[in-house]
């Protein structure tokens, strides 16, 4: 962390820690509660978002409104971004009036958006040219994890940048993993979610086949959950109602993790596959099936709702 001139403050647990001025851009479903946790830890948080209501929510929680990205960047010791996609991240960092043009040398940059690996690496090297250490730090854990401060962060960047970012990530998350150099946080996120998308389809197909064969869903669950078919999609997120009361299947597939978000991650995995020359045929098939599911009205359903699409009805 760069030396801060912001002094000390009493944080939420009553300790006096060195505090920083943190600029937070993108105060949506995830960024909003993440920024609030930084406020609760005693940091001064300046927020910027295109949506006025998102900024007001931060101000109500004790943060401050920044007039522009440029104002925020000039004032901050640390900048966190939580934006929809790579094009927003490139524009906010590299565009006119953006972060790289206005932040001080040495400002620590943390991008927690889920974006394409190539954009993450391009922005990181542009930041390095300005002597601003940067990590890509996408998350899993959803809005619940963002609110509770229990997110998992998958972090790409140098050892030094990771060490600087860690105290801030510790406030917003519970599990913080350094995945390697720039872009490797994004790489870890999309590889993991490609496994998840493919395995959810595999488990769903097995339940649909079992139905057709007259095999009870609970029986299949009891057998496969202790046999070689066992996987997270089966035993932590079972796509049919009954065997696992906590899974979204028991609440009409309310997310959870929306199918549209799964599709976004599967498309990012396919972009990365073509850019890197990797063969990911099952990832491609998963992306195609989730596209069909989303286009047929499933986009706001939990991603495990694909079982109904495979069954041929809602
Ligand atoms: P969101 O749409 O709720 O929030 C994005 C925010 O960015 C919005 O408030 C929007 O106004 C703001 N924004 C967009 N362009 C901007 C700009 N140019 N300047 C300032 N603000 C701008 O999205 P979210 O659910 O918070 O997701 C954010 C990121 O986190 C995405 O990359 C998403 O893939 C990832 N993610 C989301 C979840 C989840 O469960 N929602 C889980 C893991 C990762």
């Amino acid at each position: 962390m760069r030396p801060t001139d912001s002094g000390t403050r009493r944080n939420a647990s009553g300790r006096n820690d060195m505090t920083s001025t943190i600029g937070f851009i993108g105060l949506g479903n995830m960024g909003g509660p993440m920024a609030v946790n930084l406020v609760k830890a005693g940091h001064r948080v300046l927020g910027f978002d295109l949506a006025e209501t998102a900024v007001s929510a931060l101000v109500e929680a004790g943060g401050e409104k920044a007039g522009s990205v440029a104002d925020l960047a000039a004032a901050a010791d640390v900048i966190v971004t939580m934006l929809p996609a790579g094009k927003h991240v490139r524009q906010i960092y590299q565009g006119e009036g953006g972060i790289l043009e206005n932040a001080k040398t040495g400002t620590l940059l943390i991008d927690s958006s889920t974006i394409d690996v190539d954009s993450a690496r391009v922005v990181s090297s542009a930041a390095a040219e300005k002597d601003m250490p940067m990590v890509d730090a996408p998350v899993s854990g959803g809005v619940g994890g963002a609110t509770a401060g229990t997110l998992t962060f998958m972090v790409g960047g140098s050892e030094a940048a990771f060490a600087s970012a860690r105290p801030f990530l510790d406030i917003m998350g519970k599990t913080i993993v350094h995945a390697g150099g720039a872009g490797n946080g994004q790489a870890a996120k999309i590889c993991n979610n490609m496994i998840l998308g493919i395995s959810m389809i595999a488990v769903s197909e097995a339940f649909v086949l079992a139905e057709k064969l007259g095999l009870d869903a609970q029986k299949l669950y009891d057998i496969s959950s202790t046999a070689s078919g066992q996987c997270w999609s089966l035993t932590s997120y079972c796509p049919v109602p009954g065997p696992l009361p906590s899974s979204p299947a028991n609440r009409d597939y309310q997310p959870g993790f929306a199918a549209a978000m799964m599709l976004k991650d599967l498309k990012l995995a396919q972009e990365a596959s073509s850019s890197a020359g990797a063969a990911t045929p099952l990832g491609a098939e998963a992306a195609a099936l989730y596209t069909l599911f989303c286009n047929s009205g499933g986009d706001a359903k939990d991603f495990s709702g694909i079982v109904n699409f495979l069954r041929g009805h809602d």
Side-chain angles (χ1 to χ4, degrees):
M1 183 172 103
R2 349 171 330 118
T4 175
D5 44 20
S6 311
T8 59
R9 264 177 205 220
R10 191 167 288 280
N11 69 16
S13 59
R15 283 178 288 117
N16 279 324
D17 289 332
M18 289 300 287
T19 62
S20 298
T21 297
I22 303 174
F24 206 116
I25 303 174
L27 301 164
N29 292 324
M30 296 292 288
M34 289 164 72
V36 168
N37 282 332
L38 293 169
V39 172
K40 284 184 186 162
H43 292 292
R44 177 180 179 224
V45 180
L46 308 175
F48 182 81
D49 195 291
L50 298 178
E52 201 55 49
T53 48
V55 181
S56 308
L58 176 67
V59 171
E60 268 171 41
E64 297 169 42
K65 173 183 170 163
S68 65
V69 172
D71 289 350
L72 175 150
D77 307 314
V78 181
I79 298 175
V80 185
T81 45
M82 193 53 169
L83 295 160
K87 64 180 180 188
H88 307 98
V89 171
R90 287 195 306 274
Q91 188 235 321
I92 288 283
Y93 280 88
Q94 296 181 283
E96 206 181 316
I99 293 171
L100 298 187
E101 203 175 86
N102 292 285
K104 294 166 281 192
T105 299
T107 302
L108 171 64
L109 309 175
I110 301 173
D111 179 38
S112 282
S113 326
T114 300
I115 65 168
D116 58 289
V117 176
D118 290 344
S119 290
R121 289 184 174 153
V122 164
V123 174
S124 170
S125 60
E129 279 172 24
K130 296 266 189 176
D131 286 325
M132 295 176 199
M134 178 163 192
V135 292
D136 49 291
V139 303
S140 71
V143 176
T147 306
T150 56
L151 292 168
T152 293
F153 283 90
M154 292 149 269
V155 188
S158 68
E159 289 287 350
F162 175 71
S164 301
R166 176 114 211 193
F168 304 100
L169 302 180
D170 277 335
I171 293 166
M172 300 182 282
K174 190 166 141 197
T175 306
I176 322 292
V177 183
H178 188 199
N184 277 22
Q186 301 294 350
K189 164 99 184 169
I190 57 170
C191 288
N192 180 72
N193 281 12
M194 188 176 76
I195 296 172
L196 179 59
I198 293 169
S199 67
M200 182 53 77
I201 292 167
V203 170
S204 296
E205 284 189 0
F207 276 110
V208 171
L209 176 61
E211 274 166 35
K212 295 273 184 210
L213 297 175
L215 172 62
D216 182 56
Q218 184 67 51
K219 291 283 179 210
L220 175 62
Y221 181 88
D222 291 345
I223 292 162
S224 289
S225 62
T226 56
S228 47
Q230 191 280 332
C231 65
W232 190 92
S233 292
L234 177 68
T235 52
S236 293
Y237 221 78
C238 186
V240 297
L244 190 69
S246 61
S247 75
N250 301 287
R251 45 174 206 271
D252 194 26
Y253 299 94
Q254 292 311 302
F257 184 51
M261 305 285 285
M262 172 53 83
L263 178 57
K264 175 189 170 182
D265 293 354
L266 289 169
K267 284 180 175 170
L268 288 174
Q270 287 309 294
E271 273 178 46
S273 294
S274 1
S275 170
T280 52
L282 289 181
E285 191 60 33
L289 283 168
Y290 271 100
T291 301
L292 290 169
F293 178 45
C294 287
N295 289 350
S296 72
D299 51 343
K301 291 275 186 194
D302 186 79
F303 81 110
S304 59
I306 199 156
V307 68
N308 291 326
F309 176 77
L310 295 168
R311 201 184 267 127
H313 60 80
D314 293 340

